[in-house]
Amino acid sequence: TAGIQARGLTKRYGNKVVVDDLSFTAEPGVITGFLGPNGAGKSTTMRMLLGLAKPTRGSITIGGRRIAELDDPGHTIGALLDARAVHPQRTAFDHLLAFAQAAGLDRTRAGEVLDLVGLTAAASRRAGEFSLGMKQRLGIATALLGNPGVLVFDEPLNGLDPEGIRWARTLMRNLAAEGRTILFSSHLMSEMELTADRLVVIGQGRLVAESSLEEFVRAH
Ligand code: ADP
Ligand code: ADP
């Protein structure tokens, strides 16, 4: 099973400890919410899960394997890290082709994933004209391109209107029902209550709680 396991994860930048001895798991078939205030270390943790930042200490496994040992990262883990980071002049469709090229993924799925996120009608529009909600959808389409079993979404609901949030919740629910591991971050408990099954809560880089949503709500 392609879950995420982080053990004793620590990231230091200079003298500043940004992620501090953090251990947690995210299981297949479950939507795990990664909750913490701005600056808590959520993005840094997600970058480490993707192999984009090197842990100072600790270990990460995806489906029981260390990131460096994954033979096919693009098919194992997909991510939305910063929805705003689009090329303004590039169309939605071209974003997917460029990502497929860079990540060695099959470009023939580009139309399919755009359809999945409801961007078919906007496929040939430049991403610079997109609302933040549309950029979130484009980022999610990119994450889905390799059909990965593990999905990591950093603040995916940011900038979505209530209808967009319902859409994103249904999508994450369906992806989890297919047996995928979903980890998504937010600084808002309200977004967790709408969407997450389980919570990993961090503050100042440290684990604050790891429990089911109901358990956390009961205790707080
Ligand atoms: P979150 O996603 O929870 O808002 P981040 O992981 O983005 O938190 O940031 C956690 C802390 O780490 C912040 O104080 C941020 O300024 C710091 N930080 C993040 N990346 C770097 C970096 N490359 N160099 C120095 N400090 C960083
Ligand atoms: P460009 O858009 O400049 O061609 P890429 O297509 O190579 O850049 O990458 C787009 C973004 O996707 C990068 O910012 C990278 O951080 C992010 N990314 C890295 N790994 C993954 C992954 N496994 N799934 C989805 N996005 C990823």
Side-chain angles (χ1 to χ4, degrees), residues 85-97:
V86 295
H87 294 256
Q89 303 299 334
R90 200 182 263 177
T91 68
F93 195 73
D94 285 342
H95 273 88
L96 291 168
L97 296 189

Side-chain angles (χ1 to χ4, degrees), residues 3 15 43 48 83 101 156 166 194 197 208:
N15 288 330
S43 299
M48 289 193 281
Q101 174 90 36
R166 277 195 295 278
L194 287 172
D197 301 315
V208 170

Side-chain angles (χ1 to χ4, degrees), residues 47 50 52 73-74 77-81 87 90 95 98-99 102 142-143:
R47 290 173 53 76
L50 288 160
L52 299 173
I77 183 164
L80 162 67
L81 289 181
H87 294 256
R90 200 182 263 177
H95 273 88
F99 184 77
T142 306

